[in-house]
mmCIF file of all heavy atoms in Angstrom:
data_model
loop_
_atom_site.group_PDB
_atom_site.id
_atom_site.type_symbol
_atom_site.label_atom_id
_atom_site.label_comp_id
_atom_site.label_asym_id
_atom_site.label_seq_id
_atom_site.Cartn_x
_atom_site.Cartn_y
_atom_site.Cartn_z
ATOM 1 N N LEU A 530 -3.830 -16.097 8.012
ATOM 2 C CA LEU A 530 -4.464 -15.768 9.292
ATOM 3 C C LEU A 530 -5.577 -16.750 9.634
ATOM 4 O O LEU A 530 -5.722 -17.169 10.780
ATOM 5 C CB LEU A 530 -4.998 -14.339 9.255
ATOM 6 C CG LEU A 530 -3.949 -13.222 9.300
ATOM 7 C CD1 LEU A 530 -4.578 -11.876 8.972
ATOM 8 C CD2 LEU A 530 -3.289 -13.171 10.680
ATOM 9 N N ARG A 531 -6.349 -17.133 8.630
ATOM 10 C CA ARG A 531 -7.452 -18.061 8.859
ATOM 11 C C ARG A 531 -6.955 -19.462 9.222
ATOM 12 O O ARG A 531 -7.647 -20.207 9.916
ATOM 13 C CB ARG A 531 -8.342 -18.121 7.614
ATOM 14 C CG ARG A 531 -9.217 -16.893 7.439
ATOM 15 C CD ARG A 531 -10.501 -17.065 8.198
ATOM 16 N NE ARG A 531 -11.205 -15.811 8.417
ATOM 17 C CZ ARG A 531 -12.435 -15.737 8.932
ATOM 18 N NH1 ARG A 531 -13.066 -16.843 9.279
ATOM 19 N NH2 ARG A 531 -13.003 -14.584 9.125
ATOM 20 N N CYS A 532 -5.770 -19.792 8.732
ATOM 21 C CA CYS A 532 -5.205 -21.117 8.994
ATOM 22 C C CYS A 532 -4.250 -21.108 10.189
ATOM 23 O O CYS A 532 -3.585 -22.121 10.459
ATOM 24 C CB CYS A 532 -4.494 -21.637 7.752
ATOM 25 S SG CYS A 532 -5.596 -21.908 6.342
ATOM 26 N N GLY A 533 -4.158 -19.974 10.879
ATOM 27 C CA GLY A 533 -3.301 -19.882 12.052
ATOM 28 C C GLY A 533 -1.817 -19.897 11.747
ATOM 29 O O GLY A 533 -1.009 -20.280 12.606
ATOM 30 N N LYS A 534 -1.440 -19.458 10.551
ATOM 31 C CA LYS A 534 -0.034 -19.458 10.149
ATOM 32 C C LYS A 534 0.576 -18.075 10.328
ATOM 33 O O LYS A 534 -0.117 -17.057 10.341
ATOM 34 C CB LYS A 534 0.099 -19.907 8.691
ATOM 35 C CG LYS A 534 -0.368 -21.335 8.433
ATOM 36 C CD LYS A 534 -0.227 -21.697 6.966
ATOM 37 C CE LYS A 534 -0.700 -23.125 6.695
ATOM 38 N NZ LYS A 534 -0.620 -23.466 5.246
ATOM 39 N N GLU A 535 1.886 -18.038 10.402
ATOM 40 C CA GLU A 535 2.617 -16.781 10.493
ATOM 41 C C GLU A 535 2.519 -16.033 9.160
ATOM 42 O O GLU A 535 2.716 -16.619 8.093
ATOM 43 C CB GLU A 535 4.086 -17.071 10.832
ATOM 44 C CG GLU A 535 5.012 -15.887 10.707
ATOM 45 C CD GLU A 535 4.620 -14.736 11.620
ATOM 46 O OE1 GLU A 535 4.173 -14.995 12.762
ATOM 47 O OE2 GLU A 535 4.754 -13.589 11.184
ATOM 48 N N CYS A 536 2.208 -14.742 9.234
ATOM 49 C CA CYS A 536 2.095 -13.977 7.981
ATOM 50 C C CYS A 536 2.886 -12.681 8.044
ATOM 51 O O CYS A 536 2.599 -11.745 7.285
ATOM 52 C CB CYS A 536 0.630 -13.713 7.637
ATOM 53 S SG CYS A 536 -0.229 -12.638 8.791
ATOM 54 N N GLY A 537 3.870 -12.612 8.931
ATOM 55 C CA GLY A 537 4.665 -11.392 9.068
ATOM 56 C C GLY A 537 5.347 -10.974 7.781
ATOM 57 O O GLY A 537 5.333 -9.790 7.419
ATOM 58 N N ASN A 538 5.925 -11.931 7.072
ATOM 59 C CA ASN A 538 6.616 -11.606 5.819
ATOM 60 C C ASN A 538 5.637 -11.166 4.739
ATOM 61 O O ASN A 538 5.938 -10.275 3.936
ATOM 62 C CB ASN A 538 7.434 -12.805 5.333
ATOM 63 C CG ASN A 538 8.657 -13.062 6.190
ATOM 64 O OD1 ASN A 538 9.160 -12.150 6.862
ATOM 65 N ND2 ASN A 538 9.139 -14.296 6.190
ATOM 66 N N LEU A 539 4.463 -11.788 4.719
ATOM 67 C CA LEU A 539 3.438 -11.393 3.755
ATOM 68 C C LEU A 539 2.969 -9.969 4.019
ATOM 69 O O LEU A 539 2.817 -9.166 3.088
ATOM 70 C CB LEU A 539 2.246 -12.354 3.822
ATOM 71 C CG LEU A 539 2.442 -13.749 3.240
ATOM 72 C CD1 LEU A 539 1.281 -14.651 3.625
ATOM 73 C CD2 LEU A 539 2.591 -13.683 1.722
ATOM 74 N N LYS A 540 2.742 -9.645 5.278
ATOM 75 C CA LYS A 540 2.295 -8.302 5.634
ATOM 76 C C LYS A 540 3.386 -7.278 5.339
ATOM 77 O O LYS A 540 3.085 -6.150 4.913
ATOM 78 C CB LYS A 540 1.873 -8.246 7.095
ATOM 79 C CG LYS A 540 0.586 -9.021 7.377
ATOM 80 C CD LYS A 540 0.188 -8.983 8.847
ATOM 81 C CE LYS A 540 -0.351 -7.637 9.247
ATOM 82 N NZ LYS A 540 -0.886 -7.636 10.625
ATOM 83 N N LEU A 541 4.644 -7.654 5.543
ATOM 84 C CA LEU A 541 5.737 -6.760 5.203
ATOM 85 C C LEU A 541 5.764 -6.465 3.708
ATOM 86 O O LEU A 541 5.929 -5.311 3.284
ATOM 87 C CB LEU A 541 7.073 -7.374 5.640
ATOM 88 C CG LEU A 541 8.336 -6.550 5.339
ATOM 89 C CD1 LEU A 541 8.289 -5.194 6.048
ATOM 90 C CD2 LEU A 541 9.587 -7.329 5.745
ATOM 91 N N ALA A 542 5.570 -7.504 2.901
ATOM 92 C CA ALA A 542 5.532 -7.330 1.447
ATOM 93 C C ALA A 542 4.358 -6.452 1.040
ATOM 94 O O ALA A 542 4.473 -5.603 0.142
ATOM 95 C CB ALA A 542 5.455 -8.692 0.756
ATOM 96 N N LEU A 543 3.219 -6.635 1.709
ATOM 97 C CA LEU A 543 2.039 -5.831 1.397
ATOM 98 C C LEU A 543 2.274 -4.372 1.769
ATOM 99 O O LEU A 543 1.906 -3.460 1.013
ATOM 100 C CB LEU A 543 0.832 -6.388 2.140
ATOM 101 C CG LEU A 543 -0.534 -5.771 1.821
ATOM 102 C CD1 LEU A 543 -0.860 -5.889 0.335
ATOM 103 C CD2 LEU A 543 -1.624 -6.436 2.667
ATOM 104 N N ARG A 544 2.903 -4.128 2.912
ATOM 105 C CA ARG A 544 3.225 -2.757 3.313
ATOM 106 C C ARG A 544 4.141 -2.083 2.289
ATOM 107 O O ARG A 544 3.995 -0.888 2.000
ATOM 108 C CB ARG A 544 3.879 -2.754 4.689
ATOM 109 C CG ARG A 544 2.935 -3.044 5.845
ATOM 110 C CD ARG A 544 3.612 -2.817 7.184
ATOM 111 N NE ARG A 544 2.723 -3.149 8.285
ATOM 112 C CZ ARG A 544 2.778 -4.284 8.962
ATOM 113 N NH1 ARG A 544 3.696 -5.197 8.653
ATOM 114 N NH2 ARG A 544 1.931 -4.510 9.953
ATOM 115 N N GLU A 545 5.057 -2.838 1.744
ATOM 116 C CA GLU A 545 5.964 -2.277 0.724
ATOM 117 C C GLU A 545 5.188 -1.866 -0.520
ATOM 118 O O GLU A 545 5.470 -0.813 -1.121
ATOM 119 C CB GLU A 545 7.043 -3.297 0.377
ATOM 120 C CG GLU A 545 8.060 -3.519 1.492
ATOM 121 C CD GLU A 545 9.048 -4.634 1.178
ATOM 122 O OE1 GLU A 545 8.899 -5.286 0.111
ATOM 123 O OE2 GLU A 545 9.967 -4.844 1.987
ATOM 124 N N GLU A 546 4.205 -2.678 -0.907
ATOM 125 C CA GLU A 546 3.374 -2.315 -2.062
ATOM 126 C C GLU A 546 2.548 -1.073 -1.755
ATOM 127 O O GLU A 546 2.381 -0.193 -2.621
ATOM 128 C CB GLU A 546 2.458 -3.485 -2.442
ATOM 129 C CG GLU A 546 3.175 -4.720 -2.917
ATOM 130 C CD GLU A 546 4.075 -4.473 -4.107
ATOM 131 O OE1 GLU A 546 3.635 -3.784 -5.057
ATOM 132 O OE2 GLU A 546 5.223 -4.954 -4.091
ATOM 133 N N PHE A 547 2.043 -0.977 -0.552
ATOM 134 C CA PHE A 547 1.283 0.209 -0.163
ATOM 135 C C PHE A 547 2.180 1.448 -0.107
ATOM 136 O O PHE A 547 1.719 2.559 -0.401
ATOM 137 C CB PHE A 547 0.594 -0.020 1.178
ATOM 138 C CG PHE A 547 -0.549 -0.986 1.134
ATOM 139 C CD1 PHE A 547 -0.988 -1.621 2.294
ATOM 140 C CD2 PHE A 547 -1.209 -1.282 -0.053
ATOM 141 C CE1 PHE A 547 -2.049 -2.510 2.268
ATOM 142 C CE2 PHE A 547 -2.268 -2.172 -0.097
ATOM 143 C CZ PHE A 547 -2.686 -2.793 1.073
ATOM 144 N N CYS A 548 3.441 1.265 0.252
ATOM 145 C CA CYS A 548 4.383 2.393 0.233
ATOM 146 C C CYS A 548 4.555 2.935 -1.185
ATOM 147 O O CYS A 548 4.677 4.160 -1.385
ATOM 148 C CB CYS A 548 5.742 1.964 0.792
ATOM 149 S SG CYS A 548 5.823 1.955 2.588
ATOM 150 N N ASN A 549 4.555 2.043 -2.176
ATOM 151 C CA ASN A 549 4.667 2.487 -3.570
ATOM 152 C C ASN A 549 3.471 3.349 -3.965
ATOM 153 O O ASN A 549 3.624 4.381 -4.634
ATOM 154 C CB ASN A 549 4.761 1.278 -4.500
ATOM 155 C CG ASN A 549 6.042 0.497 -4.326
ATOM 156 O OD1 ASN A 549 7.064 1.044 -3.881
ATOM 157 N ND2 ASN A 549 6.022 -0.783 -4.653
ATOM 158 N N LEU A 550 2.279 2.930 -3.538
ATOM 159 C CA LEU A 550 1.081 3.719 -3.828
ATOM 160 C C LEU A 550 1.097 5.033 -3.053
ATOM 161 O O LEU A 550 0.655 6.068 -3.573
ATOM 162 C CB LEU A 550 -0.174 2.913 -3.488
ATOM 163 C CG LEU A 550 -0.401 1.621 -4.289
ATOM 164 C CD1 LEU A 550 -1.696 0.949 -3.856
ATOM 165 C CD2 LEU A 550 -0.419 1.895 -5.795
ATOM 166 N N GLU A 551 1.601 4.999 -1.832
ATOM 167 C CA GLU A 551 1.738 6.216 -1.030
ATOM 168 C C GLU A 551 2.622 7.236 -1.731
ATOM 169 O O GLU A 551 2.309 8.435 -1.770
ATOM 170 C CB GLU A 551 2.326 5.852 0.337
ATOM 171 C CG GLU A 551 2.628 7.044 1.238
ATOM 172 C CD GLU A 551 1.399 7.603 1.931
ATOM 173 O OE1 GLU A 551 0.313 7.015 1.794
ATOM 174 O OE2 GLU A 551 1.521 8.642 2.615
ATOM 175 N N GLU A 552 3.720 6.770 -2.300
ATOM 176 C CA GLU A 552 4.635 7.665 -3.009
ATOM 177 C C GLU A 552 3.966 8.328 -4.206
ATOM 178 O O GLU A 552 4.199 9.504 -4.490
ATOM 179 C CB GLU A 552 5.873 6.893 -3.464
ATOM 180 C CG GLU A 552 6.811 6.502 -2.334
ATOM 181 C CD GLU A 552 8.018 5.735 -2.834
ATOM 182 O OE1 GLU A 552 8.229 5.679 -4.057
ATOM 183 O OE2 GLU A 552 8.740 5.176 -1.996
ATOM 184 N N ILE A 553 3.129 7.569 -4.892
ATOM 185 C CA ILE A 553 2.428 8.117 -6.054
ATOM 186 C C ILE A 553 1.482 9.237 -5.632
ATOM 187 O O ILE A 553 1.472 10.330 -6.223
ATOM 188 C CB ILE A 553 1.664 7.005 -6.795
ATOM 189 C CG1 ILE A 553 2.651 6.046 -7.473
ATOM 190 C CG2 ILE A 553 0.696 7.593 -7.831
ATOM 191 C CD1 ILE A 553 2.033 4.748 -7.911
ATOM 192 N N LEU A 554 0.672 8.981 -4.606
ATOM 193 C CA LEU A 554 -0.256 10.011 -4.135
ATOM 194 C C LEU A 554 0.491 11.237 -3.618
ATOM 195 O O LEU A 554 0.079 12.374 -3.863
ATOM 196 C CB LEU A 554 -1.150 9.444 -3.032
ATOM 197 C CG LEU A 554 -2.244 8.465 -3.465
ATOM 198 C CD1 LEU A 554 -2.948 7.891 -2.246
ATOM 199 C CD2 LEU A 554 -3.260 9.127 -4.394
ATOM 200 N N SER A 555 1.589 11.012 -2.900
ATOM 201 C CA SER A 555 2.369 12.132 -2.354
ATOM 202 C C SER A 555 3.006 12.949 -3.473
ATOM 203 O O SER A 555 3.012 14.188 -3.430
ATOM 204 C CB SER A 555 3.448 11.606 -1.409
ATOM 205 O OG SER A 555 2.868 10.925 -0.308
ATOM 206 N N TYR A 556 3.516 12.274 -4.494
ATOM 207 C CA TYR A 556 4.131 12.970 -5.625
ATOM 208 C C TYR A 556 3.105 13.782 -6.397
ATOM 209 O O TYR A 556 3.355 14.923 -6.784
ATOM 210 C CB TYR A 556 4.812 11.959 -6.544
ATOM 211 C CG TYR A 556 5.391 12.569 -7.796
ATOM 212 C CD1 TYR A 556 6.598 13.264 -7.757
ATOM 213 C CD2 TYR A 556 4.719 12.463 -9.011
ATOM 214 C CE1 TYR A 556 7.127 13.832 -8.906
ATOM 215 C CE2 TYR A 556 5.236 13.034 -10.152
ATOM 216 C CZ TYR A 556 6.444 13.725 -10.105
ATOM 217 O OH TYR A 556 6.962 14.294 -11.243
ATOM 218 N N GLN A 557 1.920 13.172 -6.608
ATOM 219 C CA GLN A 557 0.864 13.872 -7.346
ATOM 220 C C GLN A 557 0.254 15.007 -6.529
ATOM 221 O O GLN A 557 -0.292 15.958 -7.098
ATOM 222 C CB GLN A 557 -0.257 12.883 -7.714
ATOM 223 C CG GLN A 557 0.135 11.825 -8.710
ATOM 224 C CD GLN A 557 -1.000 10.847 -8.992
ATOM 225 O OE1 GLN A 557 -0.882 10.005 -9.859
ATOM 226 N NE2 GLN A 557 -2.117 10.951 -8.282
ATOM 227 N N ASN A 558 0.268 14.852 -5.209
ATOM 228 C CA ASN A 558 -0.390 15.787 -4.297
ATOM 229 C C ASN A 558 -1.882 15.890 -4.609
ATOM 230 O O ASN A 558 -2.463 16.979 -4.666
ATOM 231 C CB ASN A 558 0.274 17.175 -4.367
ATOM 232 C CG ASN A 558 -0.137 18.061 -3.201
ATOM 233 O OD1 ASN A 558 -0.459 17.562 -2.111
ATOM 234 N ND2 ASN A 558 -0.150 19.366 -3.420
ATOM 235 N N THR A 559 -2.498 14.728 -4.831
ATOM 236 C CA THR A 559 -3.939 14.646 -5.091
ATOM 237 C C THR A 559 -4.558 13.631 -4.146
ATOM 238 O O THR A 559 -3.884 12.723 -3.659
ATOM 239 C CB THR A 559 -4.234 14.216 -6.548
ATOM 240 O OG1 THR A 559 -3.624 12.927 -6.791
ATOM 241 C CG2 THR A 559 -3.700 15.232 -7.543
ATOM 242 N N VAL A 560 -5.847 13.777 -3.911
ATOM 243 C CA VAL A 560 -6.553 12.820 -3.047
ATOM 244 C C VAL A 560 -6.715 11.484 -3.750
ATOM 245 O O VAL A 560 -6.546 10.418 -3.148
ATOM 246 C CB VAL A 560 -7.926 13.377 -2.629
ATOM 247 C CG1 VAL A 560 -8.722 12.310 -1.859
ATOM 248 C CG2 VAL A 560 -7.759 14.628 -1.779
ATOM 249 N N PHE A 561 -7.045 11.533 -5.050
ATOM 250 C CA PHE A 561 -7.331 10.322 -5.819
ATOM 251 C C PHE A 561 -6.176 9.996 -6.752
ATOM 252 O O PHE A 561 -5.366 10.866 -7.097
ATOM 253 C CB PHE A 561 -8.634 10.471 -6.596
ATOM 254 C CG PHE A 561 -9.826 10.698 -5.710
ATOM 255 C CD1 PHE A 561 -10.374 11.963 -5.566
ATOM 256 C CD2 PHE A 561 -10.397 9.650 -5.001
ATOM 257 C CE1 PHE A 561 -11.461 12.186 -4.741
ATOM 258 C CE2 PHE A 561 -11.480 9.858 -4.169
ATOM 259 C CZ PHE A 561 -12.019 11.138 -4.040
ATOM 260 N N PHE A 562 -6.124 8.742 -7.190
ATOM 261 C CA PHE A 562 -5.000 8.315 -8.026
ATOM 262 C C PHE A 562 -5.039 8.919 -9.425
ATOM 263 O O PHE A 562 -3.999 9.085 -10.055
ATOM 264 C CB PHE A 562 -4.950 6.786 -8.097
ATOM 265 C CG PHE A 562 -4.387 6.159 -6.860
ATOM 266 C CD1 PHE A 562 -5.222 5.691 -5.859
ATOM 267 C CD2 PHE A 562 -3.025 6.074 -6.675
ATOM 268 C CE1 PHE A 562 -4.706 5.124 -4.700
ATOM 269 C CE2 PHE A 562 -2.489 5.517 -5.526
ATOM 270 C CZ PHE A 562 -3.330 5.039 -4.542
ATOM 271 N N GLY A 563 -6.235 9.264 -9.898
ATOM 272 C CA GLY A 563 -6.341 9.864 -11.224
ATOM 273 C C GLY A 563 -6.323 11.375 -11.216
ATOM 274 O O GLY A 563 -6.385 11.993 -12.274
ATOM 275 N N GLY A 564 -6.241 11.983 -10.026
ATOM 276 C CA GLY A 564 -6.260 13.442 -9.945
ATOM 277 C C GLY A 564 -7.160 13.910 -8.819
ATOM 278 O O GLY A 564 -7.371 13.200 -7.836
ATOM 279 N N PRO A 565 -7.756 15.092 -8.970
ATOM 280 C CA PRO A 565 -8.582 15.653 -7.884
ATOM 281 C C PRO A 565 -9.936 14.969 -7.713
ATOM 282 O O PRO A 565 -10.570 15.121 -6.667
ATOM 283 C CB PRO A 565 -8.763 17.117 -8.305
ATOM 284 C CG PRO A 565 -8.585 17.110 -9.792
ATOM 285 C CD PRO A 565 -7.577 16.045 -10.096
ATOM 286 N N CYS A 566 -10.386 14.244 -8.734
ATOM 287 C CA CYS A 566 -11.698 13.588 -8.681
ATOM 288 C C CYS A 566 -11.536 12.080 -8.837
ATOM 289 O O CYS A 566 -10.593 11.603 -9.460
ATOM 290 C CB CYS A 566 -12.624 14.113 -9.787
ATOM 291 S SG CYS A 566 -12.925 15.891 -9.705
#
């Protein structure tokens, strides 16, 4: 972004990684990654 280059594929890859973390939180049903705290 700072160099004015296209980063659509990078952002797509980042969204996929965030989806993995989303699945973990949803499966645990907790606010935090280690549990309720």
Side-chain angles (χ1 to χ4, degrees):
L530 288 168
R531 285 273 163 172
C532 296
K534 297 179 180 178
E535 169 60 37
C536 66
N538 289 336
L539 287 169
K540 291 179 73 173
L541 180 61
L543 187 58
R544 287 189 182 100
E545 289 175 356
E546 296 303 315
F547 289 159
C548 279
N549 293 335
L550 297 181
E551 175 79 5
E552 288 180 10
I553 291 165
L554 287 174
S555 298
Y556 176 78
Q557 293 178 174
N558 195 28
T559 59
V560 174
F561 299 103
F562 283 96
C566 301

